[in-house]
Amino acid sequence: VYRQLTPNRLQDKVVLVTAGGTQEPLDPVRYIGNRSSGKMGYAIAGMAAQMGAKVTLISTRPELAVPANLAQVIYVRTAAELQGAVASLYNEADVVIMAAAVADFKPAQYVSQKIKKQVGQTDMTLELNRTPDILATLGQEKKKQYLVGFAAETNDLMAHAQVKLTAKQVDLLVANDVSQTDRGFGADQNAVTLLRPNQAPEALPLASKKVIATQILERISTALSSKEE
Ligand code: CTP
Ligand code: CA
């Protein structure tokens, strides 16, 4: 079957993309965050729009330039806000791509005034509580949606990613090595391995995040059309 290479391959599909790292506030001036730059999610959102999708981007990164032709951008900070935004749009979505690095723990208490150190204080202990696993919840509630997760790993990439593919019930897991500075978090390039249930892993070699985004979206488009046929 002949298929167009890229244009219109996601025509009118409703695509939800999350991007960036969440920030969990401790007090009005401090938060717990991570090194996710949002660039991979932005590249995916922009390319999905170019492929004809109706894209909503949920982002923690208001300083990044918004890609052309998105349907909507929603800015969030915390894991809880990101979860609320995703939940409100999940039923209508055909594809959900969780590229955001969501905090696993947040401060047990938010202190409404700046925390002051005491004279002579030499250490401080923070109590943290687990945040909900948004992607796992989406996996449990999945109906028609094609669900995509990322796995950020510094070691034993494939073993850890394989566990996440199954545990979170996703259709595609993008395994992302974040231990090297030329790729992954913060970089303009990436190299990933795609894991799908009952399919051999597929390595996408080092390339710009735009190229990686295109390859990921082409796989998604192919999966959607084989579901329809
Ligand atoms: N994720 C999520 N909600 C969380 C944590 C993670 O939805 N509270 C999603 C991320 O958006 C990503 C996937 O789960 O798509 C994997 O995130 P990752 O941090 O690699 O894995 P975790 O399951 O959090 O496991 P760990 O950090 O312990 O490796
Ligand atoms: Ca995590």
Side-chain angles (χ1 to χ4, degrees):
V1 186
Y2 169 80
R3 288 191 202 291
Q4 268 178 302
L5 228 123
T6 313
N8 311 325
R9 281 202 57 179
L10 290 170
Q11 195 62 46
D12 296 330
K13 296 294 179 197
V14 177
V15 175
L16 196 55
V17 182
T18 67
T22 65
Q23 301 179 0
E24 307 302 325
L26 180 59
D27 70 14
V29 300
R30 303 184 178 98
Y31 62 81
I32 295 179
N34 62 68
R35 292 187 187 280
S36 167
S37 62
K39 288 176 190 171
M40 193 66 240
Y42 271 63
I44 292 170
M47 191 50 64
Q50 281 190 42
M51 291 165 77
K54 296 175 181 160
V55 179
T56 295
L57 173 62
I58 300 173
S59 168
T60 68
R61 292 278 179 187
E63 73 280 13
L64 292 183
V66 176
N69 301 319
L70 300 191
Q72 192 183 188
V73 186
I74 300 172
Y75 293 109
V76 297
R77 273 221 282 255
T78 65
E81 289 168 10
L82 192 143
Q83 182 176 39
V86 172
S88 70
L89 297 163
Y90 191 51
N91 282 343
E92 309 309 319
D94 298 305
V95 180
V96 179
I97 303 173
M98 286 287 295
V102 181
D104 296 317
F105 294 92
K106 64 171 191 204
Q109 264 103 39
Y110 175 75
V111 182
S112 63
Q113 295 182 318
K114 185 188 168 196
I115 299 167
K116 303 296 286 184
K117 60 189 175 309
Q118 305 304 313
V119 175
Q121 183 179 2
T122 57
D123 41 52
M124 172 179 184
T125 305
L126 272 183
E127 191 184 345
L128 304 176
N129 293 335
R130 272 292 289 276
T131 57
D133 189 325
I134 300 166
L135 183 58
T137 306
L138 298 179
Q140 285 159 14
E141 294 171 358
K142 188 166 66 167
K143 295 192 180 72
K144 60 165 182 176
Q145 296 88 351
Y146 189 89
L147 196 53
V148 182
F150 275 67
E153 311 290 351
T154 58
N155 55 281
D156 304 313
L157 176 67
M158 293 304 284
H160 287 139
Q162 197 67 51
V163 170
K164 290 175 188 177
L165 173 74
T166 313
K168 295 174 193 263
Q169 301 179 51
V170 296
D171 299 292
L172 169 62
L173 191 105
V174 182
N176 201 174
D177 180 349
V178 293
S179 70
Q180 289 160 277
T181 54
D182 67 340
R183 63 195 69 180
F185 279 14
D188 291 322
Q189 299 191 109
N190 211 351
V192 301
T193 302
L194 306 183
L195 301 181
R196 283 154 287 193
N198 312 314
Q199 244 178 283
E202 181 184 6
L204 304 182
L206 191 65
S208 71
K209 285 186 171 174
K210 191 175 171 180
V211 166
I212 298 288
T214 307
Q215 291 171 306
I216 291 170
L217 290 165
E218 283 174 349
R219 305 300 183 277
I220 295 171
S221 158
T222 301
L224 292 182
S225 22
S226 63
K227 243 190 344 192
E228 280 162 10
E229 277 155 18

